[in-house]
Amino acid sequence: MSVLPYLIAGWLFLIGCYGMATSRNLIHAVGCLSVCQSSTYVLLLAVGYRDDGTAPVFSDITPGSRPVVDPVVQALTLTDIVIGATVTALLLSLVIQIAKRHRTVDPDELSELRG
Amino acid sequence: MSSRLRLWVLAVGGLGVAVLFVLACSDLPAFGGLWHPYGDRAVHAALARHTANTVSSVNFDQRAFDTLGEESILFGSVVGTVVLLRQTRDEDRQPPEPATVAPPVRRYALIALPVTLLIGLYVIAHGQLSPGGGFQGGVVVATSLHLLYIAVDYRALERIRPVGLYEVADAAGEAAYLLVGVAALVTGAAFLTNFLPYGTFNTLSSGGTVPLLNAAIGVEVACGVVVLLARFLDQAVEIESGDGDGSGDGDGNGNGNDEAEAGT
């Protein structure tokens, strides 16, 4: 089945969305967002995979001697990972501030604005 | 919105996305196939510019402008975290107690520290040749410093980690990337064009501006991760909430509960 890797990416995304929507804890919600984001890594790498391909690095293989996987999506995945890690850090620091101000990390209890 | 209604909305939206996604997947080229037009052209361009690691060539040469945006997100996230996790007026800073560490942990962490640091610097420096580059190497360098926290304690880490300097270096890394881009303008080329001689293939000096941009990213990522971890460790180890929070605590709880009850 040649579309299975793509479908796994979609399944990961939806399962992450489900987790975020039903979450009772903001830290858990940030974790679910990371699951959604990892679905994009799976999708990108699945798009770029080539049968019998090796890494697109020519320091020890002769150019043209072997098929290589798609370097463009690898670069995009790298981009994605870096942004994912730092944005997760930013969201977690927001959760720390919310926990300090409101004494709760349950999103359903955060229904008021406070300074 | 009640949680039951919310689940229904989610189910409808999720089913819609799932149907569209499966339809889209059935039209994608088959997994593992030979049709990679962008990949083939990127490999060709990387070899023409004497960069052995095609991924680095894509990031720091062919898509250098996109990497600038990505780097700015990283920089913005670090600045945002620093602002959010600063010490507020009603919080006190308690110097942490010296901790005891099991001798084997201390021994192996102290041995691993210089090795990890060296590997990180190697990965940054060889980004245009072998797998790796500024992003990956920067994270390895930042991690190696924190082995001192595991090996000794927090105060030892603080001694080799003046956070202010790392914040400046983080900004300097971002600025260096921009300056390399502006240097291309001075030579008459477009912003962030590779304007240096390409050098000999598969040597440290190959790739033109790729090693320079790689190093700038390496500095920024390493310093950014150190600053991020410093802020989180401060919250965990040093900053204690003061008395002011005690009274606010009761109020907050009361209000929160009232609102929750009114909502349901």
Side-chain angles (χ1 to χ4, degrees):
Chain A
M1 195 162 161
S2 70
V3 292
L4 188 62
Y6 306 138
L7 296 183
I8 288 176
W11 174 76
L12 268 177
F13 177 78
L14 288 175
I15 211 90
C17 285
Y18 172 79
M20 265 193 289
T22 57
S23 173
R24 306 284 295 164
N25 185 322
L26 285 173
I27 296 173
H28 176 260
V30 174
C32 290
L33 185 67
S34 300
V35 173
C36 278
Q37 199 150 27
S38 30
S39 75
T40 59
Y41 312 156
V42 176
L43 182 66
L44 283 171
L45 294 179
V47 166
Y49 184 74
R50 175 178 275 181
D51 285 330
D52 301 322
T54 183
V57 175
F58 295 101
S59 53
D60 50 1
I61 58 171
T62 323
S65 62
R66 290 192 59 180
V68 292
V69 298
D70 195 333
V72 176
V73 287
Q74 295 219 341
L76 291 177
T77 311
L78 180 62
T79 304
D80 205 350
I81 292 172
V82 174
I83 292 179
T86 47
V87 169
T88 303
L90 183 65
L91 288 175
L92 285 176
S93 58
L94 264 174
V95 175
I96 290 180
Q97 281 302 333
I98 289 172
K100 275 187 193 169
R101 305 253 160 208
H102 297 269
R103 295 276 148 193
T104 174
V105 287
D106 186 344
D108 286 341
E109 285 179 26
L110 298 170
S111 47
E112 54 174 331
L113 290 171
R114 274 211 287 159
Chain B
M1 198 189 294
S2 76
S3 60
R4 180 178 284 271
L5 181 61
R6 192 160 53 181
L7 268 181
W8 273 110
V9 172
L10 176 73
V12 171
L15 269 178
V17 170
V19 169
L20 289 177
F21 188 80
V22 170
L23 285 179
C25 282
S26 59
D27 261 2
L28 276 178
F31 176 70
L34 289 175
W35 194 71
H36 293 284
Y38 290 112
D40 293 341
R41 283 174 176 81
V43 167
H44 194 258
L47 291 175
R49 293 165 185 209
H50 299 196
T51 313
N53 182 355
T54 317
V55 179
S56 277
S57 174
V58 171
N59 263 334
F60 299 117
D61 188 358
Q62 302 166 30
R63 286 179 65 245
F65 194 64
D66 293 2
T67 308
L68 175 64
E70 163 192 0
E71 182 189 32
S72 307
I73 295 178
L74 199 158
F75 187 67
S77 300
V78 172
V79 171
T81 309
V82 167
V83 170
L84 278 173
L85 291 184
R86 68 197 187 282
Q87 185 181 3
T88 52
R89 211 172 294 131
D90 51 0
E91 287 170 342
D92 288 327
R93 202 173 262 269
Q94 300 287 341
E97 298 287 311
T100 51
V101 181
V105 174
R106 172 176 293 227
R107 206 177 308 133
Y108 290 119
L110 283 179
I111 293 171
L113 195 157
V115 178
T116 318
L117 189 61
L118 195 65
I119 290 175
L121 294 175
Y122 175 91
V123 170
I124 295 179
H126 288 71
Q128 70 276 26
L129 303 177
S130 52
F135 289 111
Q136 300 93 322
V139 175
V140 176
V141 167
T143 315
S144 72
L145 296 184
H146 289 85
L147 279 170
L148 200 61
Y149 175 50
I150 294 172
V152 191
D153 63 3
Y154 192 63
R155 296 182 304 170
L157 174 66
E158 277 188 320
R159 219 166 291 145
I160 62 157
R161 191 205 60 187
V163 180
L165 276 184
Y166 281 89
E167 283 168 354
V168 171
D170 186 31
E174 168 95 22
Y177 196 100
L178 279 170
L179 285 178
V180 173
V182 170
L185 286 181
V186 173
T187 64
F191 184 59
L192 279 172
T193 309
N194 196 343
F195 63 94
L196 292 176
Y198 293 142
T200 318
F201 184 73
N202 217 356
T203 57
L204 264 185
S205 59
S206 65
T209 53
V210 172
L212 294 181
L213 295 178
N214 210 2
I217 291 277
V219 169
E220 197 198 335
V221 171
C223 297
V225 172
V226 166
V227 172
L228 278 184
L229 284 173
R231 295 296 160 172
F232 279 103
L233 281 173
D234 267 0
Q235 292 288 324
V237 181
E238 280 204 46
I239 291 181
E240 316 249 329
S241 54
D243 294 328
D245 260 19
S247 58
D249 178 17
D251 287 345
N253 260 339
N255 286 341
N257 287 340
D258 289 348
E259 288 290 324
E261 279 156 21
T264 47

